[in-house]
Amino acid sequence: MRLLIGTLLFCLGSALIPVMNAEAYLSVVAQNSGWWPPLLGLVAGLGQTGGKVVWYYAGRGSTQIPWIRKKLESPRWQGSYDRWYARTSGRPVLAAALLAASGFSGFPPLAVMAVLFGALRFNLPIFTLTVLVSRALRFWVILEAAGLAWTYL
């Protein structure tokens, strides 16, 4: 049980502090754990989702910061914001697919996407569920791959 709580907390921290590498942590856990990899992946995904929701709210409040508000008034930033808003507004399936791709692959970084989706005021329940599923699947794959690698080393 300590391992599950530690995994949850480490992955929460790694979502907030990018130098904490959840993938490296899970690779070591895969060698030293008897826990079922899908369960560990889900717990890691829950931790990451909690951290990304913090980034989401940071993005949501960022439009109130005077420096960012001034930047958004520039034609370049306004054009970029408008393009992303047009891509996601009224298209929750497409937006969730972009978010899921980021969550599973790590490209573009999910923290950046979380801030962007917060600034766009994307639907929070869809955001949370998409991040949870994509991250849990990513971590499950990492745990399975690391477990196989440790078996053959």
Side-chain angles (χ1 to χ4, degrees):
M1 191 63 160
R2 286 184 192 168
L3 179 66
L4 293 178
I5 293 169
T7 299
L8 178 79
L9 293 175
F10 187 90
C11 288
L12 175 66
S14 73
L16 297 171
I17 305 168
V19 295
M20 294 175 64
N21 192 314
E23 290 81 358
Y25 170 84
L26 291 172
S27 295
V28 173
V29 166
Q31 178 194 21
N32 299 315
S33 167
W35 286 92
W36 190 44
L39 176 62
L40 279 172
L42 178 62
V43 169
L46 282 168
Q48 281 272 305
T49 301
K52 299 311 179 192
V53 168
V54 170
W55 283 113
Y56 173 92
Y57 277 112
R60 196 168 190 161
S62 68
T63 56
Q64 303 305 317
I65 298 170
W67 177 78
I68 292 178
R69 181 175 280 172
K70 185 177 178 182
K71 283 284 194 185
L72 280 173
E73 291 172 2
S74 77
R76 180 175 167 233
W77 277 57
Q78 188 63 45
S80 179
Y81 180 86
D82 290 343
R83 278 192 305 278
W84 274 102
Y85 186 79
R87 288 178 190 151
T88 59
S89 178
R91 297 177 176 167
V93 174
L94 175 63
L98 288 169
L99 190 59
S102 173
F104 187 77
S105 71
F107 184 77
L110 188 54
V112 172
M113 294 296 282
V115 171
L116 174 64
F117 275 65
L120 294 171
R121 300 197 181 284
F122 187 71
N123 184 299
L124 182 60
I126 294 173
F127 172 84
T128 305
L129 183 63
T130 303
V131 170
L132 175 61
V133 170
S134 64
R135 278 305 189 178
L137 288 172
R138 172 187 174 90
F139 293 142
W140 178 19
V141 168
I142 288 169
L143 284 160
E144 292 289 357
L148 285 172
W150 287 115
T151 302
Y152 294 108
L153 286 180

